[in-house]
Amino acid sequence: MPVQIPDDSDFSSFKDQCLSPDGWVSRYSKGGVTVWCRDEESRSVQKLKMRIVCKDVTAETLYDVLHDTSYRKKWDSNMIDTYDIGRLTANADIGYYSWRCPTPLKNRDFVTMRSWLPLGNDYLIINYSVKHPQHPPKKDYVRAVSLLTGYLIQSNGANCSTLYYLTQVDPRGSLPKWVVNRVSQLVAPKAMRKIYKASLKYPEWKRKHNPSLKPWMFPEQNTLPCINVSELTVQRADSLENIDESGLSEEKQHSDDEET
């Protein structure tokens, strides 16, 4: 299946999903974070939506934090590795991300096409999985599939913003129920709070680390190699290994996984 770079209608549809209450069931609401769930297609492919209000953080700062891969290594403790592979257009690129799963599950990784759009007081970033011939599945990871993942950032005035995160990922495996519950009750809320805390510290960090370098805002700064969209295909889940981890028991996690 050929890869289509998202257009305005795709961004508009994603925004509508973030803002619409229809079909979503609240699974968590505490400390300023709300998590909603809805099941799509099968029990292994769950759709999650989260929202957090970020006081003392501008929408533009949140947008920068979510783009800045150098800074991500400072706050994303679930990340094993991430890097940019190449650019498609001024507002679309291909990247790699590997994610540390709860013990004893195997770690997952992704190759995704990411596209972004500042729109008035809103900022949007969306991605979905693609196949790149030079980045096949790795031996020690399960290649998972992002069907649709992204962020909507809305400005709530001069120094306040709201962040929505929506994700639908096929983990390529039958997961135990405790994993599904853990994601909605602990992992997802913790991730949203981490983004908020990281955003509070970002302006000071950025002043000391290439403050004028923001290729997501200034395409002329982008030095990634160009990729032709014809080199890519949509990553179909059924072409990847599918593993059964449904019988695995939960192990005691490191303290970093505890809610803060």
Side-chain angles (χ1 to χ4, degrees):
M1 187 183 298
V3 168
Q4 300 287 336
I5 296 174
D7 59 20
D8 287 355
S9 65
D10 294 310
F11 283 104
S12 178
S13 172
F14 178 80
K15 179 179 176 179
D16 288 345
Q17 289 188 64
C18 288
L19 298 179
S20 173
D22 298 340
W24 294 95
V25 178
S26 177
R27 292 289 172 84
Y28 177 99
S29 186
K30 184 180 176 182
V33 179
T34 306
V35 180
W36 297 270
C37 297
R38 84 196 279 171
D39 293 327
E40 299 270 329
E41 298 169 18
S42 73
R43 291 188 177 183
S44 67
V45 185
Q46 192 176 50
K47 209 169 194 177
L48 285 176
K49 179 169 70 171
M50 293 148 250
R51 180 186 66 200
I52 185 170
V53 175
C54 300
K55 297 177 182 177
D56 299 317
V57 175
T58 66
E60 184 174 331
T61 294
L62 266 173
Y63 186 62
D64 290 347
V65 167
L66 294 169
H67 270 290
D68 199 328
T69 54
S70 296
Y71 188 61
R72 189 171 195 123
K73 295 163 187 175
K74 298 284 186 184
W75 62 267
D76 188 353
S77 59
N78 291 322
M79 183 186 74
I80 299 170
D81 191 19
T82 187
Y83 52 83
D84 297 324
I85 295 170
R87 56 177 164 155
L88 293 165
T89 66
N91 70 321
D93 63 16
I94 306 297
Y96 173 86
Y97 178 87
S98 53
W99 182 57
R100 185 177 293 104
C101 288
T103 306
L105 274 62
K106 293 185 73 172
N107 294 327
R108 264 64 177 177
D109 69 355
F110 303 83
V111 172
T112 62
M113 184 192 70
R114 181 181 60 166
S115 188
W116 54 93
L117 183 70
L119 195 63
N121 292 326
D122 298 338
Y123 295 87
L124 297 100
I125 305 171
I126 58 178
N127 77 55
Y128 64 85
S129 286
V130 296
K131 288 174 69 173
H132 187 288
Q134 295 177 16
H135 296 271
K138 297 184 177 184
K139 179 183 176 183
D140 297 328
Y141 293 89
V142 176
R143 178 61 52 90
V145 178
S146 168
L147 300 170
L148 177 65
T149 298
Y151 302 92
L152 166 66
I153 306 162
Q154 294 195 303
S155 176
N156 295 341
N159 208 32
C160 185
S161 51
T162 300
L163 172 65
Y164 291 86
Y165 174 58
L166 186 148
T167 182
Q168 185 179 23
V169 167
D170 187 335
R172 298 314 297 147
S174 301
L175 299 179
K177 189 170 184 179
W178 64 262
V179 171
V180 178
N181 291 337
R182 183 178 177 81
V183 167
S184 62
Q185 298 295 320
L186 181 63
V187 177
K190 181 178 174 63
M192 295 297 276
R193 293 190 181 100
K194 277 190 172 184
I195 294 171
Y196 180 23
K197 290 178 182 178
S199 299
L200 289 167
K201 299 175 182 177
Y202 181 75
E204 182 180 352
W205 180 90
K206 187 61 175 172
R207 276 194 291 272
K208 301 172 184 175
H209 299 83
N210 297 315
S212 61
L213 183 63
K214 295 184 180 183
W216 52 92
M217 297 287 283
F218 309 109
E220 65 276 8
Q221 296 178 348
N222 196 322
T223 58
L224 290 173
C226 291
I227 296 176
N228 193 307
V229 72
S230 64
E231 299 176 44
L232 308 169
T233 53
V234 174
Q235 178 65 73
R236 292 177 56 88
D238 56 15
S239 70
L240 294 167
E241 176 189 15
N242 191 64
I243 62 174
D244 186 359
E245 297 176 299
S246 59
L248 294 177
S249 300
E250 185 172 10
E251 295 183 4
K252 184 169 178 57
Q253 306 296 309
H254 295 297
S255 59
D256 186 58
D257 281 340
E258 299 305 320
E259 186 173 1
T260 55

